[in-house]
Amino acid sequence: MAVGRRAGSYVCGVDAAMDVIGGKWKVLILWALSERPHRFGELRRAVPGVTEKVLAAHLRELEADGIVHRREYEEVPPRVEYSLTPRGVALNEALEPLGAWGKANVLGQAPEPVA
């Protein structure tokens, strides 16, 4: 699925990426999903402070952008799991240096080596 909310109007790659991950919660959702697939309630607990409404909206946007996969199981009661797509895994890998910078410059910790 192609990302293209503002097709043709991006100034650079960072502008396009920020359109996908912009907002307070999306990067934290990606970080939680990098560990393993989560059900909605698990994801809400893994991202403290996010409301159900905002989490649902962000998951829909990330799914539309091809970053998150939503899998519905045909069970009673119904079960839905969210996981990262290959595009989402690549995005998380691109965000790792940003996390290392935050640890070194904001949290005051030594950055982890980047492989």
Side-chain angles (χ1 to χ4, degrees), residues 27-49:
V27 174
L28 297 176
I29 293 167
L30 293 173
W31 175 79
L33 289 175
S34 70
E35 296 176 332
R36 63 178 176 80
H38 283 72
R39 295 176 70 175
F40 186 86
E42 294 174 321
L43 200 49
R44 183 157 182 238
R45 287 186 295 277
V47 183

Side-chain angles (χ1 to χ4, degrees), residues 6 9 11 14-15 17 22 31 35 44 49 56-57 62 64 67 70 72 79 83 88-89 96-97 99 101 114:
R6 296 186 297 151
S9 65
V11 176
V14 173
D15 185 21
W31 175 79
E35 296 176 332
R44 183 157 182 238
L62 289 167
I67 305 298
R70 181 180 190 268
E72 295 182 40
R79 178 170 58 116
S83 60
V89 171
E96 284 178 14
W101 183 91
V114 178

Side-chain angles (χ1 to χ4, degrees), residues 3 14 16 19-20 23-26 44 57-59 66 69-70 86 93 95 97 105 107:
V3 177
V14 173
D19 193 29
V20 174
K24 181 176 180 178
W25 305 108
K26 286 185 180 177
R44 183 157 182 238
H58 283 337
L59 286 169
H69 174 71
R70 181 180 190 268
E93 290 170 357
L95 291 170
N105 294 284
L107 297 177

Side-chain angles (χ1 to χ4, degrees), residues 35-98:
E35 296 176 332
R36 63 178 176 80
H38 283 72
R39 295 176 70 175
F40 186 86
E42 294 174 321
L43 200 49
R44 183 157 182 238
R45 287 186 295 277
V47 183
V50 68
T51 64
E52 286 186 27
K53 180 180 177 180
V54 169
L55 178 59
H58 283 337
L59 286 169
R60 277 192 301 273
E61 290 172 10
L62 289 167
E63 184 181 8
D65 288 335
I67 305 298
V68 168
H69 174 71
R70 181 180 190 268
R71 181 173 179 192
E72 295 182 40
Y73 293 87
E74 295 185 23
E75 299 176 352
V76 178
R79 178 170 58 116
V80 176
E81 283 187 349
Y82 296 91
S83 60
L84 293 178
T85 63
R87 178 180 277 168
V89 171
L91 178 55
N92 254 355
E93 290 170 357
L95 291 170
E96 284 178 14
L98 184 61

